[in-house]
Amino acid sequence: MVMTFVFAFFIGGIICAIGQLLMDVGKLTPAHTLSTLVVIGAILDGMGLYEPIIHFAGAGATVPITSFGNSLTHGAIAEAEKHGLVGVLTGMFEVTSSGISAAIIFGFIGALIFKAKGNVD
Amino acid sequence: MEKEQYQKLEQYVTPKPPYLKNVAKAFVVGGLICLIGQAVSLFYMVFFNFTEATVGNPTVATMVFFSMILTGIGLYKRIGQFAGAGSAVPVTGFGNAVISAAIEHRSEGFVLGVGSNLFKLAGSVVLFGVVSAFFVALIKYILVTLGVVSW
Amino acid sequence: MVIIFPSKPSVLAGGVAAGPLEKRSIFSSYFDVLYDDERWQMKTNEQGHRQMVQEACQSAIKKLGVQNAEVDYFLGGDLVNQMTPTNFAARELAMPFIGLFSACATSVSSVIVASLLAELGAAKLALAGASSQHNAVERQFRYPVDYGAQKPQTAQWTVTAAGYALIGQHREDCPAIEAATVGKVVDYGMDDPFHMGAAMAPAAFQTIQCHLEQREQKIYHYDLILTGDLGQLGLKLLKGMFVENGVDNEELTILRDAGAEFYGQDEAFQSGASGAGCSAAVFFSYVLQQMRVGTYKHVLLVATGALLSPLSFQQGETIPCTAHAVELTMK
């Protein structure tokens, strides 16, 4: 269990470090960087490699944005397995990502209670 | 001065980003955020009967909630300036993108402002997440049909 | 490109209003109104922006002891879409108004137009200046203010400030406008919106060169050549270009930049300040007052502007820039 915490820190940190390299060395904007990582997450899941990472690193793999690609792909593939080609399509409508719904809900609540402030520190 | 000559001068004067320092900061802060996420996961597994396979969803939602608080009090952008990708890549960064846009566009109302602009930064992540999931699943289906791989 | 003003219109008074963060500016003691609330207790940033423009104009008008109705023209601009803050301020001020957009170079382009009107005898008094409000500008050009993107060392901080000056017929005890140069639009292929200094420096260089050549002057003829908002890196690049042209280091100390000095050496602001309000606030407070007390007798103000939009950047266009200069003297 302690090891999961250690791996969560290291795997999460490494994914973020890759993101930083994409931004600094690759000169990508944050939006490009995050989009790239999401696609990588989806591809890794397609090759069956993301679940094992979650298994040993826990939140180190579920918290970074790559897990979006993973959970969406996971749903789509599960549906495809059940219903064939149609499943690929319907899978897209069945799968959800809690990150998206959470962001929508908390975005709405945030807009209700907070005001933007242009402070520097 | 010619364009090429100026571009050389510009290259010479402009400081390079401190690559190593930035990567180290991203690694540590990103790692810490995931560590907190792991603690949240543990909490849900111990007290709410979630399993390792299902705990991802409540963890992510809780992390986005933390992100809302930090964004609202103006702390997340300070963390972002320090950590770079360290705070942008975790799902809290996705939350920050959505929530900061929502707070910002409150002044144009909830329908035209918040509603229309909620995903103006994070929309590309949703787009590429869904589209890549579609194509990955499609390719996998074709490969399985051809007998190259199995589910 | 160089305009000579034989009647030497004068800058009769200046007014500057600035936000809470600008209290940390090394020029803050010269500003007339400093407000604790960046929205000026209005509901939106844009309304606060408008209020700030009015405050700056009113404090210039009050200093000269005239009425709003005596001002013949109101010339100015800002960086928000369609310049609504300035347009709406013009509605409140009820003066004949022409909105001007040269991005951050508006602080000088407006002075040039006002001087022409004064030279022509069409204006006894004309208000000229520019403004920017951090939140309103950032949300338009970059990201929401609470978004946690990492700014590089080359980035600059948009100031919350409005600076306006009253231009009128020549008066002995006020800085006089001798000449001005309207700059060309220069594009050296820079495309990083977080490195505006690099995009604008060539424009400043060309305008200063052109002004000096046609006026048959050298840099050392001036006590101060102050650019608008190149920032620390942009100023370095400008000096670099003059060094290539054989200007020696001692002469280069005459070259200064309002954006590079605005927040002192505070690293939280990266390369320094920017925004239309940056040059306007420094030109129409610090520079005017230093000229009145005789610290500077011959000054060239060069405001630089990056003529990009968020769309042009996303479409992969480079950043064209301009710089306008105005030459002031004090007896």
Side-chain angles (χ1 to χ4, degrees):
Chain A
M1 218 230 349
V2 179
M3 279 324 277
T4 317
F5 275 85
V6 174
F7 283 128
F9 178 83
F10 273 98
I11 296 297
I14 286 168
I15 295 173
C16 293
I18 293 170
Q20 188 71 37
L21 286 173
L22 288 173
M23 283 191 208
D24 281 356
V25 182
K27 303 270 171 235
L28 297 186
T29 66
H32 282 90
T33 307
L34 298 184
S35 301
T36 308
L37 288 173
V38 165
V39 174
I40 291 174
I43 294 171
L44 284 179
D45 187 56
M47 301 194 297
L49 297 175
Y50 208 87
E51 289 297 308
I53 306 178
I54 294 179
H55 183 69
F56 79 89
T62 56
V63 168
I65 202 77
T66 40
S67 74
F68 263 29
N70 165 61
S71 65
L72 289 166
T73 309
H74 220 69
I77 290 178
E79 284 287 306
E81 196 177 350
K82 264 190 265 167
H83 306 294
L85 189 56
V86 187
V88 177
L89 262 179
T90 57
M92 291 323 302
F93 304 109
E94 296 232 342
V95 293
T96 47
S97 174
S98 62
I100 296 172
S101 11
I104 292 174
I105 300 294
F106 293 127
F108 184 81
I109 295 170
L112 275 174
I113 53 179
F114 293 115
K115 220 171 188 188
K117 220 171 155 29
N119 53 344
V120 65
D121 55 16
Chain B
M1 187 181 270
E2 295 304 312
K3 254 186 206 180
E4 291 71 31
Q5 209 183 343
Y6 179 71
Q7 273 157 5
K8 256 188 219 149
L9 178 70
E10 192 263 335
Q11 296 271 312
Y12 175 73
V13 169
T14 307
K16 294 270 163 299
Y19 297 115
L20 217 62
K21 207 169 126 197
N22 279 358
V23 168
K25 287 195 287 191
F27 175 77
V28 172
V29 175
L32 283 176
I33 291 174
C34 293
L35 200 66
I36 295 168
Q38 187 58 36
V40 172
S41 290
L42 189 67
F43 169 81
Y44 281 115
M45 284 193 282
V46 171
F47 295 102
F48 290 94
N49 288 328
F50 280 97
T51 65
E52 194 191 79
T54 57
V55 79
N57 281 343
T59 304
V60 161
T62 309
M63 295 306 282
V64 174
F65 172 75
F66 292 156
S67 173
M68 176 187 79
I69 303 292
L70 293 175
T71 304
I73 59 174
L75 204 60
Y76 208 89
K77 66 169 173 228
R78 281 162 59 189
I79 301 173
Q81 180 58 38
F82 175 81
S87 61
V89 170
V91 71
T92 46
F94 177 80
N96 170 249
V98 172
I99 293 155
S100 65
I103 295 174
E104 178 111 336
H105 286 279
R106 171 72 181 87
S107 55
E108 286 80 56
F110 275 98
V111 176
L112 300 177
V114 178
S116 322
N117 291 289
L118 202 64
F119 282 101
K120 74 170 187 178
L121 291 170
S124 53
V125 170
V126 177
L127 168 72
F128 284 101
V130 172
V131 169
S132 60
F134 174 77
F135 280 109
V136 168
L138 188 66
I139 291 166
K140 185 134 190 188
Y141 171 79
I142 293 168
L143 291 179
V144 169
T145 316
L146 293 176
V148 183
V149 293
S150 63
W151 295 109
Chain C
M1 293 208 292
V2 174
I3 308 164
I4 314 281
F5 298 101
S7 80
K8 297 185 184 178
S10 279
V11 185
L12 304 173
V16 171
L21 212 53
E22 284 59 38
K23 285 181 182 166
R24 285 160 65 171
S25 167
I26 58 162
F27 299 111
S28 67
S29 60
Y30 295 93
F31 300 161
D32 301 292
V33 191
L34 282 163
Y35 222 76
D36 278 324
D37 178 10
E38 56 203 352
R39 286 189 190 78
W40 258 257
Q41 283 165 343
M42 296 284 163
K43 262 173 72 186
T44 68
N45 285 307
E46 288 73 15
Q47 284 172 352
H49 194 339
R50 187 207 74 209
Q51 186 63 28
M52 181 175 70
V53 174
Q54 283 171 245
E55 298 264 352
C57 293
Q58 292 296 0
S59 55
I61 290 168
K62 216 167 87 187
K63 265 189 216 167
L64 202 61
V66 292
Q67 300 295 316
N68 281 18
E70 293 175 61
V71 179
D72 301 305
Y73 291 98
F74 174 42
L75 308 156
D78 57 70
L79 305 172
V80 173
N81 315 43
Q82 285 80 40
M83 301 199 309
T84 45
T86 309
N87 294 342
F88 290 5
R91 178 185 68 195
E92 306 301 319
L93 293 166
M95 296 165 184
F97 167 67
I98 306 175
L100 298 167
F101 184 85
S102 317
C104 307
T106 311
S107 55
V108 167
S109 67
S110 60
V111 169
I112 295 175
V113 177
S115 308
L116 285 168
L117 288 168
E119 181 73 35
L120 202 65
K124 267 216 197 78
L125 282 178
L127 257 176
S131 58
S132 55
Q133 201 257 16
H134 180 83
N135 295 3
V137 174
E138 285 296 315
R139 71 180 288 188
Q140 198 209 323
F141 277 92
R142 298 190 182 96
Y143 299 119
V145 290
D146 277 316
Y147 181 53
Q150 195 173 36
K151 286 187 184 142
Q153 287 158 288
T154 52
Q156 288 168 261
W157 183 272
T158 308
V159 304
T160 299
Y164 275 84
L166 273 168
I167 317 281
Q169 310 298 325
H170 184 72
R171 236 172 71 177
E172 283 287 302
D173 60 340
C174 293
I177 297 159
E178 294 265 348
T181 295
V182 176
K184 287 182 186 168
V185 176
V186 178
D187 192 334
Y188 269 33
M190 299 289 130
D191 57 2
D192 185 355
F194 286 102
H195 195 1
M196 298 285 220
M200 296 193 291
F205 177 75
Q206 282 207 3
T207 299
I208 295 171
Q209 274 294 86
C210 167
H211 189 88
L212 294 178
E213 262 171 37
Q214 297 201 21
R215 296 279 289 157
E216 294 177 349
Q217 293 164 333
K218 293 278 177 214
I219 291 179
Y220 58 76
H221 287 128
Y222 286 90
D223 301 319
L224 169 68
I225 296 179
L226 189 64
T227 49
D229 56 353
L230 295 177
Q232 281 147 23
L233 289 168
L235 180 63
K236 236 185 207 178
L237 284 164
L238 179 65
K239 286 185 173 178
M241 279 186 278
F242 276 109
V243 168
E244 296 266 332
N245 261 30
V247 176
D248 64 50
N249 276 328
E250 203 177 323
E251 224 180 323
L252 284 178
T253 57
I254 296 166
L255 278 175
R256 286 165 56 191
D257 181 70
E261 294 179 21
F262 198 89
Y263 291 113
Q265 290 299 315
D266 196 336
E267 274 179 23
F269 299 98
Q270 277 86 25
S271 186
S274 72
C278 169
S279 56
V282 177
F283 291 174
F284 305 142
S285 65
Y286 168 77
V287 175
L288 292 185
Q289 286 174 45
Q290 291 296 316
M291 288 192 81
R292 274 169 176 262
V293 299
T295 315
Y296 306 123
K297 293 196 181 314
H298 197 184
V299 172
L300 189 67
L301 299 178
V302 188
T304 47
L307 305 173
L308 82 164
S309 84
L311 285 186
S312 76
F313 158 66
Q314 284 162 6
Q315 292 171 349
E317 303 269 357
T318 53
I319 304 172
C321 294
T322 191
H324 303 304
V326 61
E327 181 184 340
L328 299 177
T329 55
M330 184 75 195
K331 278 256 160 62

